[in-house]
Amino acid sequence: KGLDGKKEKVTVAGVVQEITVDDAYLKESIQNPNAKITQGFPPVMIVATPLTDAEINHVIAYIKTLK
């Protein structure tokens, strides 16, 4: 809940970075869930069936409604 605009610490190629959750981050996380691993969560996400850009946009729009 309330992810949009939130600051998160993620690990990218072994380096911890702070990111702001935005549309680009959400899209990347849907398409490549292991690209950036959020601190406190194990890297266990599998790549699901590929979604179209329109489907990804619908998912992102839904995520943004979760406040």
Side-chain angles (χ1 to χ4, degrees):
K1 288 186 172 183
L3 275 178
D4 190 43
K6 184 177 178 184
K7 300 277 187 198
E8 289 283 357
K9 288 190 178 179
V10 298
T11 302
V12 181
V15 177
V16 176
Q17 301 175 359
E18 184 172 275
I19 57 100
T20 300
V21 177
D22 60 8
D23 289 9
Y25 170 76
L26 292 171
K27 183 175 182 176
E28 177 185 38
S29 294
I30 292 167
Q31 292 176 318
N32 185 5
N34 293 311
K36 294 178 179 159
I37 305 300
T38 303
Q39 295 256 299
F41 293 91
V44 295
M45 295 299 296
I46 60 169
V47 177
T49 303
L51 301 175
T52 66
D53 283 341
E55 291 169 328
I56 290 171
N57 290 337
H58 288 287
V59 172
I60 291 171
Y62 172 72
I63 290 170
K64 287 179 165 187
T65 69
L66 304 174
K67 299 283 179 187

